Amino acid sequence: MKIFEFAFFGLASLLVLLGGLATVAARNPIRGAMGLLTSIVGIAGLYLMLSAEFLAAIQILVYAGAIVILFLFVIMLLGPSATSPRDARTAVPRYVGAGVLGASSIGALALVASASKPGVTAIPAAPESLGTIEALGHELFTKGIVPFELSGALLLVAVIGAVAVARGKQVDPTLLPAGEGPDTASPEPGDQGAAQPGALAGHATLSAKEPH
């Protein structure tokens, strides 16, 4: 039984690490979303090992079944413009950010290693209500009600922003007056120069037909 638990823990941890690396390193946003999905599945497996079946189910239903699908919808709405350009001008900030993140991680690990005491620390037994729906609901709607509502508002703002970016500057036919379509709309200021050669040609033709 211990071997099975160790193998399951190794598999879940491997999914989390590989999914995180794929999310960060993938140039294609679709592959990045699939990497995020893999990492979420691994986190759900870790929740199962902690006897938190409800959190594991919510991890799959909410994050894998809703958040990742929302990301895919936004990527499909944006189309080819969802792929960020990679040129030499953005290479230096990326490398600097990666170096700062790596140095911060090494410093955090060094602090944890120096603060840890020698010997084995006894972990108290978890309460029987740990991971149940009753305990989670009590914590969510008492101590965590404000972060829960703020996360909902954040997701709503993200959806509205994604739709606004995806629509761009296209003219909505439903917002135009009656009897006026996109083709009959007023020309842009840049289009006036394109219409001037035709007008000049017509004026020259009329001038040639007039008797001298």
Side-chain angles (χ1 to χ4, degrees), residues 66-181:
I67 303 301
V68 176
I69 299 301
L70 177 63
F71 288 167
L72 291 176
F73 282 166
V74 172
I75 292 171
M76 288 187 292
L77 283 174
L78 293 177
S81 60
T83 304
S84 60
R86 293 177 180 266
D87 50 11
R89 293 177 297 179
T90 60
V92 176
R94 291 202 309 267
Y95 291 142
V96 171
V100 171
L101 179 60
S104 302
S105 302
I106 294 175
L109 290 177
L111 290 177
V112 171
S114 62
S116 61
K117 298 179 181 180
V120 179
T121 303
I123 300 177
E128 296 181 356
S129 61
L130 179 65
T132 59
I133 300 177
E134 292 80 4
L136 183 63
H138 182 269
E139 292 292 330
L140 181 63
F141 291 103
T142 53
K143 299 179 180 180
I145 184 64
V146 175
F148 178 72
E149 296 295 336
L150 289 179
S151 62
L154 179 62
L155 290 176
L156 179 61
V157 172
V159 172
I160 295 175
V163 172
V165 171
R167 290 182 60 184
K169 298 181 179 180
Q170 297 178 359
V171 179
D172 191 356
T174 60
L175 300 179
L176 296 176
E180 183 178 356

